[in-house]
Amino acid sequence: MNMSTRKQLEITRVTPHCGARVAGVDLSQPLDGSMVEKLLEGLAEHCVLFFEEQAMTPVQQKALGEHFGSLHVHPAWPRLVDGHPEVMEIYSDETTTRIAGEDWHSDVSCDPEPPMGTILQMLEVPPAGGDTLFANMSAVFESLSPSMQQFLEGLNAVHDGELVYRDRYDGMSDEPQTYPRSEHPVVCVHPVSGRKVLFVNRIFTSRIVELGETESDALLRLLFQRIEQPEFQCRYQWRPGSVVFWDNRCAQHHALWDYYPHRRRGHRVTIRGQAPVSACGGQQQLDNNSQ
Ligand code: SIN
């Protein structure tokens, strides 16, 4: 048994729907099975976990991520930590024209098997600002009327990487067929909590498969507005050494860029997931156009 598992784990909710602070674990050390289980349960309940005063090398951060699954390599991100293709550098300064995640989304939902979660360690923060917002997609779904819930459960949506990656980042081909693009159920079931989750997001979701274009646009607008209501959210103020672990299957997040021209830098590992499972039973047939 190592030091991290001998400490008393404390998980403290920060808002009714979203986010919890976690104390009593050193993430740089190997975790035992019971700690991994508790963190997975905490993640499913709170959607996002916040850890303070941590310090991990890229190797330790990868080892942490691997407790929860195999690591994902991003299809487009140009800033990778040398020698560690699974570790993305999140970086912005006075030369930056676009930052990662500057609108509501779940990570890489254009993949046929979107990541289950993401672990971001912040190394440098601006003097003020640079917070990240998180929102609980089960709470959003449960806030809808029963009729709307039922209607949504029969629908599928296109998640298109081209919307996000074309002309945005170096290293991504301009050939349209090379962009990851998938269909996922609009309402999925979270594999740990069993709660239904609204699974459409502003940056990747282009249309609802079963609806005409104007109907699809109107419905997505309505859902995106609901997703962005503050009562489903929490807001995290980073410090150097903060680590945040979010569950892509039930949370969306939005990185605020209110600190230009200051510098903000962190390391992110992303954990591979499985194809989202429809809330109306059975696994959806995926339009697996990912290249
Ligand atoms: C991201 O979407 O991975 C970026 C999150 C952040 O920089 O806070």
Side-chain angles (χ1 to χ4, degrees):
M1 185 180 280
N2 61 60
M3 284 302 290
S4 66
T5 56
R6 277 201 292 272
K7 292 183 189 167
Q8 183 67 32
L9 189 74
E10 282 174 39
I11 300 186
T12 312
R13 187 184 290 280
V14 299
T15 74
H17 291 304
C18 193
R21 289 186 187 278
V22 183
V25 57
D26 177 353
L27 299 177
S28 70
Q29 299 303 310
L31 308 180
D32 69 13
S34 120
M35 180 65 82
V36 169
E37 205 52 44
K38 283 179 193 153
L39 292 178
L40 277 173
E41 282 167 15
L43 197 60
E45 182 174 352
H46 301 289
C47 299
V48 52
L49 301 177
F50 307 118
F51 305 82
E52 306 284 343
E53 296 179 0
Q54 303 283 334
M56 289 181 287
T57 63
V59 169
Q60 288 169 327
Q61 189 170 352
K62 287 197 298 188
L64 172 65
E66 281 164 351
H67 283 301
F68 303 95
S70 57
L71 300 184
H72 176 270
V73 176
H74 198 280
W77 192 246
R79 293 186 74 104
L80 303 173
V81 173
D82 263 358
H84 302 284
E86 310 88 344
V87 186
M88 293 165 60
E89 187 178 52
I90 300 295
Y91 183 88
S92 47
D93 65 13
E94 76 283 359
T95 65
T96 301
T97 54
R98 283 199 178 95
I99 67 158
E102 202 196 352
D103 208 338
W104 285 101
H105 67 289
S106 52
D107 292 323
V108 206
S109 68
C110 56
D111 266 9
E113 296 184 337
M116 67 75 74
T118 300
I119 299 174
L120 176 58
Q121 170 181 211
M122 202 52 71
L123 302 169
E124 281 183 65
V125 298
D131 298 353
T132 306
L133 308 181
F134 297 88
N136 177 338
M137 292 305 112
S138 293
V140 172
F141 179 71
E142 289 158 12
S143 76
L144 297 166
S145 66
S147 301
M148 177 58 91
Q149 291 183 3
Q150 199 177 0
F151 174 59
L152 294 175
E153 281 182 35
L155 302 179
N156 296 281
V158 177
H159 295 243
D160 191 350
E162 184 170 358
L163 300 178
V164 183
Y165 304 135
R166 177 183 269 281
D167 297 332
R168 294 193 84 168
Y169 305 122
D170 295 339
M172 198 68 191
S173 162
D174 271 346
E175 294 300 315
Q177 66 271 25
T178 67
Y179 296 98
R181 181 174 173 275
S182 300
E183 284 181 19
H184 299 303
V186 168
V187 185
C188 305
V189 177
H190 191 282
V192 178
S193 70
R195 288 173 80 184
K196 293 178 181 174
V197 175
L198 186 62
F199 198 71
V200 290
N201 69 80
R202 203 181 263 287
I203 76 171
F204 287 108
T205 311
S206 57
R207 59 178 289 260
I208 305 284
V209 176
E210 292 81 0
L211 301 182
E213 192 177 332
T214 51
E215 294 167 336
S216 167
D217 288 350
L219 181 59
L220 286 175
R221 219 170 19 250
L222 180 142
L223 295 176
F224 295 155
Q225 280 167 2
R226 181 65 67 106
I227 285 166
E228 291 161 19
Q229 280 184 207
E231 64 265 38
F232 307 117
Q233 301 173 12
C234 65
R235 175 173 179 144
Y236 188 66
Q237 190 175 9
W238 298 88
R239 292 193 295 192
S242 302
V243 173
V244 174
F245 186 3
W246 62 84
D247 187 331
N248 259 313
R249 303 164 300 185
C250 56
Q252 288 192 30
H253 60 285
H254 177 169
L256 291 179
W257 195 21
D258 54 358
Y259 53 90
Y260 181 86
H262 295 288
R263 189 158 64 187
R264 180 176 181 271
R265 186 172 68 90
H267 286 169
R268 172 181 139 165
V269 297
T270 311
I271 301 151
R272 297 179 68 88
Q274 294 175 339
V277 173
S278 166
C280 61
Q283 193 135 339
Q284 297 289 304
Q285 189 61 40
L286 297 172
D287 175 18
N288 187 350
N289 287 339
S290 187
Q291 300 294 311

